[in-house]
Amino acid sequence: MADWKAWTGTKEQLQEMTMSEDGFIVKNILGTESPVLKVTDFASDEHVLEYIDNNESTHYLIIEFDSLRHIKIRQAETGQPIWYRSIFSPRESPGTQTCFPNWYMKDVEYSLKPFDVTTSSQE
């Protein structure tokens, strides 16, 4: 789980933020959070530092990689039903459809459409 870290301005912290593929969020002294920021939003590391200073940032959060991110976002934005099946489900099962997926279930695969019964998951 991602945790907020106190911003102290070290080169290591800046590198951690700029190397994050999925981006980062900063929080200022009032507790206001920025949108998700990516290194591609800035012309250089100096511009990242300028943004942090101008925002009076005190903390930052690295966005962790999530292989289901695109499915979660699409389901949240559209309400589209999600298909899921357990690794214990028969392979000839197209899965179970739900509009309220439990993303924390273990040993489950997810899809935006029924699973092809001749292969594993489809996304």
Side-chain angles (χ1 to χ4, degrees):
M1 175 177 213
D3 292 319
W4 287 100
K5 297 178 184 177
W7 170 252
T8 60
T10 66
K11 288 181 183 179
E12 292 78 18
Q13 287 181 320
L14 179 62
Q15 183 178 18
E16 181 183 21
M17 291 164 60
T18 59
M19 296 297 288
S20 171
E21 289 185 28
D22 294 313
F24 59 94
I25 300 170
V26 294
K27 182 169 36 175
N28 68 18
I29 59 175
L30 300 175
T32 305
E33 298 175 12
S34 71
V36 174
L37 305 167
K38 294 190 176 191
V39 69
T40 54
D41 296 333
F42 302 94
S44 67
D45 288 358
E46 289 77 28
H47 286 123
V48 175
L49 288 172
E50 185 178 314
Y51 179 88
I52 291 169
D53 289 342
N54 289 342
N55 193 47
E56 297 181 341
S57 300
T58 59
H59 292 79
Y60 69 100
L61 177 84
I62 301 297
I63 306 298
E64 293 181 344
F65 173 76
D66 183 353
S67 62
L68 297 174
R69 176 175 279 146
H70 74 283
I71 293 176
K72 291 176 179 179
I73 290 172
R74 184 159 167 188
Q75 199 280 328
E77 289 178 339
T78 66
Q80 176 181 354
I82 299 298
W83 290 84
Y84 70 94
R85 70 178 173 190
S86 165
I87 61 169
F88 304 109
S89 299
R91 279 290 167 215
E92 56 277 357
S93 167
T96 303
Q97 187 179 37
T98 183
C99 289
F100 305 100
N102 178 351
W103 301 114
Y104 301 103
M105 290 190 296
K106 301 258 188 254
D107 301 320
V108 173
E109 53 187 345
Y110 299 89
S111 179
L112 293 170
K113 53 189 171 184
F115 291 94
D116 184 340
V117 294
T118 60
T119 63
S120 59
S121 68
Q122 307 176 25
E123 291 184 15

